[in-house]
Amino acid sequence: MENQRSVTIQPKQRGLSGSALKWIAIVTMLVDHTAATIVNKWLLLEGVDFMSMDFNTQLGEHAVGLLALYGIMRMIGRIAFPIFCFLLVQGFTHTHDVKKYILRLGVFTLISEIPFDLAFKGTFFYWGYNNVFFTLLFGVFVMWGIKVVEEQSSWGTSLKCVLKILVAIGGMIAAIICHTDYSWMGIFCITLLYVTRNNKVKQIIVGCISFAFEIVAPLAFIPIGFYNGQRGRNMKYFFYIFYPAHLLILYLIALMF
């Protein structure tokens, strides 16, 4: 009689996996960037410069409609960054090789900069505003620094607290100097999500408060609250490739108008 191997079937976890959260972030980011590139181009063709326009100026119905569309799409896009920050914390916490994680982020930071500058500034290089991978990369360095401090068993609690604050400040200064997307606030929010990583309720509360500088952004913590701790479908490189690719495509589409 043949031996039969017992197969243990893991029950499907309720809630949202990491890949599901990533899809939410990717779609909302795409909506946001479509507004910032294509819809913004339509507004410019209507004679409306959203960044410097006088809101007392009389606008046609079409321009008003485009402005409303632009505003709604940009608000939807505010949901993306908190989710990416949360997933960054999860990724860093579970990575087996921090150096490879940093190398991967660093490579795609450089790859993404030209598409980012083309999409948002219409030039191959613009130092005054740099892509979000810079923010995520500096966030990883901050988390790594905090982790190193936390692992020093011979250091006192007060010393560790001071050093962790200094590490975070260093990351925020780097973000300011490099003019990263979300600047020092992005690093600040990543830091808070990391130091509260062991208490999900506290993490969500702190996250909502820290991202309140953008009114819609705290809504991102609704799907985050349903995170089930599972990675889901492996999408390791999808976002890395999607980010520069979609920016380049949006830039090329905007050129058609």
Side-chain angles (χ1 to χ4, degrees):
M1 189 173 183
E2 294 183 1
N3 292 328
Q4 294 185 359
R5 292 181 301 174
S6 60
V7 179
T8 302
I9 300 175
Q10 295 293 335
K12 186 176 181 180
Q13 295 285 336
R14 291 185 176 183
L16 297 173
S17 66
S19 60
L21 285 177
K22 192 169 290 185
W23 273 114
I24 293 172
I26 286 172
V27 171
T28 52
M29 178 186 68
L30 178 59
V31 171
D32 180 49
H33 290 171
T34 301
T37 54
I38 296 174
V39 178
N40 185 58
K41 182 67 175 291
W42 292 343
L43 284 167
L44 290 173
L45 291 174
E46 290 289 323
V48 178
D49 186 346
F50 186 79
M51 299 303 295
S52 60
M53 65 172 289
D54 179 1
F55 282 90
N56 292 319
T57 302
Q58 292 296 320
L59 300 176
E61 289 185 9
H62 190 241
V64 170
L66 284 175
L67 272 175
L69 177 64
Y70 178 90
I72 291 170
M73 292 175 73
R74 294 310 301 268
M75 283 193 291
I76 291 172
R78 300 309 93 195
I79 293 172
F81 186 64
I83 296 178
F84 283 130
C85 290
F86 173 79
L87 292 174
L88 185 78
V89 171
Q90 293 298 311
F92 175 80
T93 302
H94 295 100
T95 187
H96 298 295
D97 193 329
V98 176
K99 292 180 181 178
K100 282 186 178 180
Y101 195 36
I102 288 173
L103 178 62
R104 187 164 61 245
L105 272 171
V107 168
F108 280 93
T109 296
L110 298 177
I111 291 174
S112 300
E113 189 55 29
I114 289 178
F116 182 85
D117 290 339
L118 285 172
F120 296 114
K121 297 299 178 181
T123 181
F124 278 94
F125 181 76
Y126 180 78
W127 178 247
Y129 182 43
N130 294 307
N131 77 81
V132 76
F133 269 127
F134 277 98
T135 311
L136 300 179
L137 179 62
F138 293 154
V140 171
F141 276 116
V142 167
M143 290 189 289
W144 194 12
I146 291 174
K147 181 182 179 182
V148 169
V149 171
E150 290 177 341
E151 290 174 346
Q152 306 308 309
S153 58
S154 61
W155 295 355
T157 302
S158 298
L159 176 60
K160 286 184 178 182
C161 183
V162 171
L163 290 176
K164 286 190 283 188
I165 291 173
L166 291 176
V167 168
I169 290 174
M172 288 187 279
I173 291 173
I176 293 171
I177 292 173
C178 294
H179 307 287
T180 70
D181 196 8
Y182 285 95
S183 190
W184 67 271
M185 282 299 297
I187 304 300
F188 178 70
C189 293
I190 291 170
T191 302
L192 291 181
L193 290 178
Y194 181 68
V195 297
T196 57
R197 65 193 182 278
N198 295 322
N199 187 321
K200 189 172 183 179
V201 173
K202 184 183 293 185
Q203 188 183 47
I204 290 173
I205 293 172
V206 167
C208 287
I209 295 172
S210 63
F211 280 98
F213 65 94
E214 291 187 324
I215 297 175
V216 180
L219 293 177
F221 289 91
I222 295 175
I224 288 173
F226 288 98
Y227 176 59
N228 59 18
Q230 302 297 309
R231 184 177 71 173
R233 183 173 296 180
N234 190 351
M235 296 175 61
K236 180 187 288 187
Y237 289 100
F238 179 77
F239 170 65
Y240 292 103
I241 296 170
F242 178 84
Y243 185 77
H246 91 282
L247 289 173
L248 185 58
I249 291 170
L250 289 174
Y251 167 71
L252 294 174
I253 292 174
L255 284 179
M256 297 178 184
F257 299 98

